[in-house]
Amino acid sequence: MQNKADSKGISRRQFGKIAGAAAAGTVLPGYALRALAAETADQIIPGKSAEMIIHNAKLGVMETPLTLLRQYAHTPKEILFCRFHYPHEGNAGWYASLNPPKREDWTLEIDGLVARPRIVKLADIEKMDMVKRVSVIQCAGNGRSFYAAKQKVGGGQWKNGGMGNVVWEGVPLRHFLDEQKVMPAASVRWLTAEGWDQPATREGSDFSKSYHIEDGALDNAILAVKMNGEPIPAAHGGPLRLIIPGYYGNMNVKILTKLMFMDHQSPSVFQSMGYRFPNRPVEPGQFKANDYTLENSRPTYAHQIKSVIFSPLPEDKPGSGAVEITGVAFNDGTAPITSVQVSVDGGQSWQAATIKTPESPWAWNHWSLKATLRPGTNTLVSLATDALGRSQPLNGLTRWNPRGYEWNGADKVVINV
Ligand SMILES: Nc1nc2c(c(=O)[nH]1)N[C@H]1C(S)=C(S)[C@@H](COP(=O)(O)O)O[C@H]1N2
Ligand SMILES: [Mo]
């Protein structure tokens, strides 16, 4: 039997195992029972829309259907995609058992190669001057399912809904980076961020991520305390989250507890093995999911330029004739998006869309154009380019990689009229 995820996010094989064990009278961990019982996303993470697409109930991984995502300029917490890496057991359900300390007890530890390691209270961070960053948060695995046209890769089969456009507010990271000035600069090369969540087993790797201290993206990074004008919900990393605008989701450590200044990067598998992209193009079979080394690959840091068609979608069932095609485009924020070309005939002819000025360099660029749909099959394609000349591959499969990251192929929507 195929290990295919059903709507509950548990694979059929897993379901069989869990159900079989239950029948045999085995005591199941709480999270497994709940995963079995959970029908909809709101039962997994309270407050989430029941319409979310569940990729993994046990880990709280869920995607936003585009029909919901396209309705909001700023993605509300109820529908923002969610990704965690550890199941949390407990009688109250995994989300409740994630149970991070209360806001008033929250601290950030600053440690490593600093002259004065210290513990900063969240309350003190909140007294500092705040800045806003409107930025796209996107899982590096967003679009992974499209690689299946070459060869399916393991992991959540994300379509385009593993992203959102969010208003973050917090204290510039620079303030804390200046700490490193007290040590010989040459020895301090990496900043490592760690979250409150812990692996289920002692051998498990902590979710920690490292960044080059000199990395320019850190200049725009903030220690965020607000999301869309409210305290960040725990599911999205509250009360304190590192936000590096323009960087893939995994680099935006949630429920942040620790910043470490180091002369090496984190040994966590999430830094050394996971969330990496091969330095050279690879073909299925040639390079495997465990072949990654620090030398043959790089971390999934900056967003690749990308566009996504929001409307029309097949479920809109448009008729033939005039139609407005809309969508969004974004990149890593280091250069403006200069064009979005759109085709309704599978790429034979192209038209330029009108791009609305984005709210920030890292935010969605909304684009639209008027086109005509004909009876039969209409293959809509969108292709963004930025001021640095960076563009999306027409065929995203050329960037196939064994962990299925950084999909940014020209977006395609097939509409049968
Ligand atoms: N502490 C912690 N931070 C984390 C993760 C995690 O599992 N634990 N997952 C990362 C990944 S892979 C992604 S895509 C984003 C998801 O952010 P969201 O759940 O707020 O959408 O959080 C990142 N930060
Ligand atoms: Mo992710």
Side-chain angles (χ1 to χ4, degrees), residues 189-194 206-215 218 242 244 247 250-253 258-272 274-276 294 298-301:
R189 302 204 38 237
W190 295 91
L191 174 71
T192 294
E194 267 182 35
D206 207 341
F207 194 87
S208 80
K209 300 297 305 190
S210 299
Y211 323 81
H212 276 285
I213 291 281
E214 307 87 27
D215 189 334
L218 295 185
L242 179 61
I244 307 180
Y247 268 24
N250 67 97
M251 307 311 295
N252 295 256
V253 174
K258 221 181 205 184
L259 288 179
M260 275 178 301
F261 293 86
M262 318 208 298
D263 58 2
H264 59 279
Q265 51 191 312
S266 167
S268 165
V269 297
F270 297 107
Q271 178 78 14
S272 61
Y275 295 105
R276 301 189 72 83
L294 295 181
R298 57 161 177 82
T300 51
Y301 276 164

Side-chain angles (χ1 to χ4, degrees), residues 81-85 139 197 207 236 241 249 252 254 275:
F81 84 96
C82 193
R83 172 74 165 115
F84 277 107
H85 288 77
C139 183
D197 43 352
F207 194 87
H236 295 294
R241 178 175 196 170
N252 295 256
K254 305 200 267 194
Y275 295 105

Side-chain angles (χ1 to χ4, degrees), residues 134-138 163-166 168 245-247 303 329-330 362-364:
V134 183
S135 74
V136 174
I137 179 128
Q138 177 188 217
M163 66 162 178
N165 191 54
V166 174
W168 303 101
Y247 268 24
H303 286 157
F330 59 95
W362 312 281
W364 278 344

Side-chain angles (χ1 to χ4, degrees), residues 44-117:
I44 299 167
I45 299 179
K48 282 289 173 190
S49 160
E51 287 171 61
M52 298 292 284
I53 303 157
I54 301 166
H55 288 308
N56 188 325
K58 203 172 76 167
L59 304 182
V61 184
M62 51 186 73
E63 166 168 1
T64 320
L66 290 195
T67 46
L68 281 184
L69 192 60
R70 67 186 182 184
Q71 292 178 28
Y72 306 91
H74 299 144
T75 313
K77 62 183 179 208
E78 290 81 5
I79 66 159
L80 181 62
F81 84 96
C82 193
R83 172 74 165 115
F84 277 107
H85 288 77
Y86 312 121
H88 297 266
E89 283 187 58
N91 292 328
W94 91 235
Y95 181 66
S97 66
L98 178 65
N99 195 27
K102 293 200 185 70
R103 295 187 76 73
E104 49 272 35
D105 300 327
W106 199 271
T107 56
L108 174 69
E109 194 181 338
I110 299 177
D111 207 347
L113 302 171
V114 288
R116 193 169 49 95

